[in-house]
Amino acid sequence: MASLHRVILEALAPDQDIPVAVLSELTSLYASHHEFFSLSGDFPDAYDIRPEQVAAALTGELAHPGVEVLLARRAGRLVGVAITLAHHPDPTDPDPWIGLLIVDARERRQGYGRELVALVEARFRRAGRDAARLAVLDNNPQGLAFWTTLGYETIDHRKDLQLGRPCAVLRKELNGTPEAGKFVLFDVDGTLIDAVANQRRVWGTWAGRYALDPDEVYRVALRTRPMETFAQVAPDRDPQACLAALHELEDDDVRSGTYTAFDGAAELLAALPRTAWALVTSNYEHRVRGRFARTGLPVPDVVVDAACVDEGKPSPVPYLLAAERLGARPRDCLVIEDAASGVRSGLRAGMTVWGVNAPVAVEGVHRHFRTLREAVPDIVDFMSGSRSGGRVRSS
């Protein structure tokens, strides 16, 4: 099975010059965060951050004992930076610190920030540390919101040592295991959004472009990922060209198509804490957000889409990654699905799986509901702890 972590960390050598190519990447990443650095005042001109300034800042950090500068890479590409401090100058402070953690602003909403935090916390745990601290500038409410959703709690307010800026000090216990709780992981199309007519229309139009039987193409597309569909129905065609054509049609449909949320979806999602549920989709996040905006549904903090994983459903990877980003144990997760591949994905992830919006139960589900509406009270009960997920039952 593929690793859940798409990001790998590499540490800058403290006693060597930063390679020119790496410095160029770092400068580009820092420059993408001109809004943050305007708030922090770390650079003379946040809109003109230069390589020599970044080099000086990082060299200064690495001169302190116990400091690590960690580069986060995805498929070789720099997507984030974390600076950690093993010991705070205050001898009464026993915890390691996250001094800086930023993700390329051009890669927002890809989940890299949460993944980078999880990797840094794992490094602390392996070093035998049982908590972590960080400071968030008082003028950075977005930063404060990000860290609090990850379980960090404000324990103090004071000025930072470097520039005397007012900050909130946050701390999180690192007990080695995710916090207990109940979480719900939703499939999207066919579960929360009724997109059957849209999918059939998009695939029908795509099939027409290649003079293929639209019914046969749609039948294959229902049970495979796009690249696998192309391999079966159009093996002599360029798969990348096929994918580009499909994406064009899907994006157009998001802008102009008609979408409907299944009955009960709005009520259910509004009742769930944003940090206790996630979307796990084989589609792409920007399309999901477009459809949710069209239907008035809220979007949670965690969305695992096709770009997040190398293995899609029925692999367990998508649901395991969603649980990891929520800080959840698989056994505490409830998967809501309508399709066989998604059901298998949830089951293989070791989660409770309920099926909805189907006249008969998909093989393997722990419970079956003919409609999402019928499942709403039971999903709410699951979240409150009064669950009956172990019984195979049809409602």
Side-chain angles (χ1 to χ4, degrees):
M1 185 179 71
S3 170
L4 300 186
H5 291 296
R6 303 163 300 147
V7 170
I8 60 173
L9 296 183
E10 61 181 47
L12 279 183
D15 54 352
Q16 298 178 10
D17 291 338
I18 301 173
V20 173
V22 175
L23 182 58
S24 178
E25 291 179 292
L26 286 163
T27 303
S28 177
L29 188 149
Y30 273 55
S32 76
H33 272 281
H34 51 77
E35 292 180 1
F36 169 75
F37 288 117
S38 292
L39 296 175
S40 70
D42 289 302
F43 296 97
D45 184 352
Y47 288 85
D48 186 24
I49 297 176
R50 300 182 180 183
E52 61 270 21
Q53 296 171 334
V54 175
L58 294 177
T59 301
E61 295 282 3
L62 288 169
H64 295 94
V67 168
E68 281 193 310
V69 176
L70 303 173
L71 308 185
R73 293 190 180 277
R74 159 66 165 160
R77 188 178 76 258
L78 183 69
V79 296
V81 174
I83 300 176
T84 63
L85 177 64
H87 299 282
H88 193 271
D90 181 353
T92 65
D93 181 348
D95 300 324
W97 279 65
I98 301 174
L100 176 72
L101 189 146
I102 56 174
V103 169
D104 194 320
R106 294 158 295 196
E107 301 277 4
R108 282 178 177 146
R109 299 196 177 280
Q110 298 296 318
Y112 294 137
R114 290 172 178 270
E115 195 166 343
L116 179 51
V117 172
L119 290 170
V120 169
E121 291 175 349
R123 289 174 74 91
F124 288 157
R125 289 190 185 98
R126 288 194 296 271
R129 315 305 290 272
D130 57 11
R133 299 193 192 199
L134 57 94
V136 177
L137 295 173
D138 282 354
N139 60 357
N140 186 12
Q142 289 184 332
L144 183 63
F146 171 79
W147 289 105
T148 54
T149 62
L150 296 180
Y152 286 78
E153 298 180 351
T154 301
I155 61 169
D156 195 8
H157 286 275
R158 63 181 187 232
K159 293 182 178 180
D160 77 325
L161 297 178
Q162 184 179 14
L163 297 174
R165 301 163 294 192
C167 298
V169 177
L170 285 75
R171 186 176 190 267
K172 178 181 178 180
E173 296 283 346
L174 304 177
N175 56 13
T177 59
E179 297 180 5
K182 303 296 189 296
F183 302 84
V184 186
L185 313 180
F186 293 96
D187 174 52
V188 177
D189 294 337
T191 299
L192 297 173
I193 297 285
D194 186 356
V196 172
N198 304 75
Q199 291 172 335
R200 182 178 288 277
R201 181 169 54 252
V202 166
W203 277 110
T205 304
W206 181 89
R209 289 189 178 184
Y210 292 93
L212 299 171
D213 179 354
D215 292 333
E216 173 62 16
V217 168
Y218 184 64
R219 183 187 66 80
V220 175
L222 281 177
R223 54 183 173 80
T224 60
R225 302 178 83 188
M227 297 301 280
E228 297 162 351
T229 300
F230 306 145
Q232 289 191 42
V233 303
D236 57 335
R237 300 283 186 168
D238 178 0
Q240 292 301 325
C242 291
L243 187 63
L246 180 66
H247 283 177
E248 176 189 344
L249 293 169
E250 289 182 320
D251 287 341
D252 182 66
D253 184 72
V254 170
R255 292 187 294 268
S256 60
T258 300
Y259 288 92
T260 305
F262 281 106
D263 183 32
E267 169 192 329
L268 173 60
L269 299 185
L272 301 178
R274 287 176 59 89
T275 56
W277 62 284
L279 300 176
V280 182
T281 176
S282 298
N283 211 314
Y284 289 86
E285 183 174 353
H286 72 279
R287 295 193 193 111
V288 171
R289 289 184 175 277
R291 292 175 180 178
F292 273 46
R294 300 280 298 279
T295 55
L297 296 179
V299 178
D301 293 332
V302 174
V303 179
V304 173
D305 70 349
C308 291
V309 293
D310 296 322
E311 296 180 14
K313 304 172 187 178
S315 165
V317 168
Y319 280 113
L320 288 173
L321 180 58
E324 181 179 308
R325 291 184 178 177
L326 286 169
R329 299 174 298 192
R331 69 174 181 262
D332 293 321
C333 294
L334 170 63
V335 170
I336 307 297
E337 269 281 359
D338 74 302
S341 62
V343 168
R344 291 198 298 273
S345 177
L347 292 173
R348 292 172 64 189
M351 301 175 181
T352 299
V353 182
W354 293 355
V356 298
N357 298 332
V360 296
V362 175
E363 182 179 359
V365 296
H366 295 100
R367 295 187 64 184
H368 168 66
F369 301 85
R370 286 180 291 272
T371 66
L372 178 66
R373 164 58 67 187
E374 291 177 0
V376 169
D378 295 79
I379 295 172
V380 174
D381 285 347
F382 177 93
M383 292 298 293
S384 68
S386 56
R387 56 177 171 166
S388 56
R391 290 184 293 134
V392 178
R393 169 180 151 189
S394 180
S395 299

